[in-house]
Amino acid sequence: ALMRVSDEPLSALSGPSPMRAWLGVIVLGGVVCLLMPTTTQAQVDPWSQMQALKDRLVGERVSADFVQTFLPAGFSSGDEEAGVMHLSIPDCLRWDYQQPYQKSYLICGQEAYTWNAEEPQGRRFLLESDSEPGLDFLRLRIEALESRYSVVPETLNDNVLKLVFKPLDPDHSLVQATVILDMQTHLLSRLLYEDLEGNQTRFDVSNYRPISGSDPFDLPPNTEWLEQ
């Protein structure tokens, strides 16, 4: 579930955490960003689009707004948070949660950071990117990813495409991740994933634009980083 940085330490992307969830958004969302309009499932080759993503996104720096909704198993409504994400693939990823609490998550290379706004301390983690679900999409070759995940495309209507990713390992922490693409803009509009406990997390993404202003991948000044 979602957590505040000051309440519970972030493990190395295990279990349902905001940082791990957003890794799915970055990677799976990037796949569908490159898909062209289509009217039949047979015309969509998701893995070739993944390779195109890896080739095309190098050096890209973009921001987008997001709304994240966590729905616990057995409930009809859940908690909602909102903020802005920043992408510089493959080097850095950042998520600034603004509502209801201000908190940030940053990954650059093998290092991950979490902090709450206006607090003097944050947390620093080292990641094993080649093995972590989510990060493996960024770091492994397409051939290795195909051995870990299956993906099924489905055209919902003339403008909406759904991609369902399922891990081949039955012990994987996710049951599946579903990506919804707006084919008019060729951008991710929604990601929905379900974990083994039946909890669902949904991300609605909008307002893509180039990064502007100060560099969002700089760490906040005067912050003490606690090693985790």
Side-chain angles (χ1 to χ4, degrees):
L2 300 180
M3 60 188 178
R4 298 195 63 191
V5 175
S6 58
D7 295 338
E8 182 179 354
L10 185 72
S11 63
L13 302 183
S14 62
S17 70
M19 186 179 293
R20 179 170 179 223
W22 269 117
L23 292 172
V25 173
I26 301 311
V27 182
L28 298 179
V31 175
V32 296
C33 284
L34 297 179
L35 289 173
M36 299 304 292
T38 180
T39 57
T40 65
Q41 297 180 30
Q43 292 176 284
V44 178
D45 181 355
W47 292 120
S48 67
Q49 301 304 321
M50 174 64 85
Q51 186 60 61
L53 163 71
K54 287 174 171 287
D55 296 339
R56 181 178 182 271
L57 285 186
V58 174
E60 291 285 338
R61 294 168 60 90
V62 299
S63 300
D65 300 327
F66 70 86
V67 176
Q68 176 178 338
T69 304
F70 176 72
L71 182 64
F75 286 78
S76 59
S77 62
D79 298 327
E80 184 174 289
E81 296 186 283
V84 178
M85 67 178 185
H86 310 281
L87 318 179
S88 180
I89 304 297
D91 299 322
C92 295
L93 322 168
R94 176 168 171 169
W95 309 271
D96 290 324
Y97 286 75
Q98 299 171 341
Q99 299 293 332
Y101 306 107
Q102 293 185 354
K103 56 188 177 183
S104 296
Y105 299 82
L106 173 66
I107 295 177
C108 279
Q110 300 288 112
E111 298 181 339
Y113 299 85
T114 70
W115 67 95
N116 289 337
E118 300 181 358
E119 291 191 1
Q121 294 180 330
R123 297 174 183 176
R124 176 180 176 271
F125 306 80
L126 290 179
L127 305 176
E128 297 179 3
S129 60
D130 285 348
S131 61
E132 295 295 345
L135 277 179
D136 56 358
F137 276 91
L138 292 176
R139 304 301 176 91
L140 296 182
R141 297 175 61 87
I142 293 298
E143 293 80 2
L145 293 176
E146 288 184 276
S147 69
R148 293 187 175 201
Y149 300 93
S150 66
V151 54
V152 176
E154 178 183 351
T155 302
L156 300 182
N157 58 47
D158 289 343
N159 296 319
V160 179
L161 178 70
K162 178 170 75 172
L163 297 177
V164 179
F165 292 82
K166 293 185 177 182
L168 300 178
D169 182 357
D171 296 324
H172 197 286
S173 58
L174 295 182
V175 174
Q176 68 178 34
T178 301
V179 168
I180 304 298
L181 164 70
D182 182 336
M183 291 192 293
Q184 287 186 327
T185 61
H186 316 309
L187 292 173
L188 170 74
S189 61
R190 174 172 291 180
L191 168 69
L192 175 68
Y193 81 88
E194 180 180 348
D195 64 25
L196 294 176
E197 290 74 36
N199 304 310
Q200 294 186 357
T201 303
R202 186 183 78 226
F203 299 94
D204 293 294
V205 186
S206 62
N207 192 24
Y208 289 86
R209 68 266 188 194
I211 289 176
S212 61
S214 59
D215 192 339
F217 306 114
D218 288 340
L219 290 171
N222 305 317
T223 301
E224 178 186 4
W225 299 105
L226 304 179
E227 300 290 337
Q228 302 295 308

